[in-house]
Amino acid sequence: MSIHSSVRKVTTHVLHEMKLKGEKIAMLTGYDFSLARILDQAGVDIILVGDSASNVMAGYETTLPITLDNMIYHAASVVRATSRALVVVDLPFGTYQGNSREALASAIRIMKETGASAVKLEGGQEIIESVERILSAGIPVMGHLGLTPQSIHKFGTYVVRATDDDEAKKLVEDAKKLEATGCFAIVLEKIPANLGEKVSKMLRIPTIGIGAGSSADGQVLVIHDMLGITQEFSPRFLRRYHNLNAEITGAVKAYIEDVRSGDFPNEREQY
Ligand code: KIV
């Protein structure tokens, strides 16, 4: 029997077993109770309360403005909806870089106030002290390398990362360092597929790819993108599984028409 079909609760240990057995890990982002419940009941292995909430929930252009309080609100809603999936929460920009004590305090707030199981931090060597300190409190940490949207002002664009030898070498070193420090998994975002394959084969911990090729041990997409709620964002790695934008627009237009024409509510829909 496959691991994913037999476990009632996904843990970091389960994810390691899945990698050992060659079972791919399915992760999606989630930010609210109602959608998270659907994701959990559908059997997704990990729900990431991503700081992409800054974009898709709050309408900011980047992930930088979202606050720790905002993330805690989203994460607590997701945890209330979840019984099987592992819930991982992004530490937002400015809550862990350059100050490992603040990093630990931020991670502790997330764990205490949301009931989530792990946190995710962007970066490699630069944030290793924060990763170490959070791990020392027994809080599982997921790494994130490649395109790290919290550093958008350093990169300047959202193009594919680590296409040159120096950056690819640094990414490999960072991945080794994150694993050696104790991260339980690493997200690889928007890097060449052959580099994704190299890192995934090199590590014992699972990699979760988003635009990192098919060799990653798992995949993640932003739920609003894969459902086709967002329309303007169309990177090559994004597969849209539905066009919810059109479906919702159709339903809302029908409702408006029914209200205007007096067709809604009808006799059976009133007291
Ligand atoms: O914030 C997010 O949604 C993420 C994923 C894209 C990996 O970090």
Side-chain angles (χ1 to χ4, degrees), residues 27 29 31 48-53 63 90 120 122 144 149 187 189 210 220-222:
M27 169 161 131
T29 66
Y31 318 99
L48 170 67
V49 184
D51 59 358
S52 49
T63 58
D90 266 338
K120 176 164 81 61
E122 293 183 5
H144 184 155
V187 166
E189 180 163 354
I210 173 162
V220 57
L221 286 174
V222 169

Side-chain angles (χ1 to χ4, degrees), residues 188-245:
L188 299 175
E189 180 163 354
K190 222 169 174 187
I191 59 170
N194 60 1
L195 181 59
E197 179 176 9
K198 179 177 171 176
V199 173
S200 302
K201 285 191 170 152
M202 174 187 87
L203 298 180
R204 279 169 288 110
I205 58 173
T207 58
I208 311 287
I210 173 162
S214 57
S215 302
D217 303 301
Q219 298 291 329
V220 57
L221 286 174
V222 169
I223 187 71
H224 290 63
D225 298 334
M226 66 84 77
L227 289 178
I229 297 174
T230 49
Q231 298 280 287
E232 54 292 335
F233 182 65
S234 280
R236 186 198 297 194
F237 66 72
L238 173 59
R239 185 181 293 181
R240 285 193 209 285
Y241 285 83
H242 210 73
N243 188 350
L244 261 196
N245 189 303

Side-chain angles (χ1 to χ4, degrees), residues 17 34 57-58 79 81 104 116 123-124 152 158 175 231:
E17 294 285 303
S34 302
M57 299 300 288
V79 169
L104 177 59
I152 183 59
Y158 289 100
Q231 298 280 287

Side-chain angles (χ1 to χ4, degrees), residues 165-198:
D165 288 350
D166 284 351
E167 200 179 326
K169 210 168 139 205
K170 174 167 170 19
L171 190 142
V172 168
E173 290 311 312
D174 281 343
K176 284 184 187 160
K177 187 81 194 169
L178 289 172
E179 175 174 83
T181 305
C183 285
F184 72 89
I186 301 178
V187 166
L188 299 175
E189 180 163 354
K190 222 169 174 187
I191 59 170
N194 60 1
L195 181 59
E197 179 176 9
K198 179 177 171 176

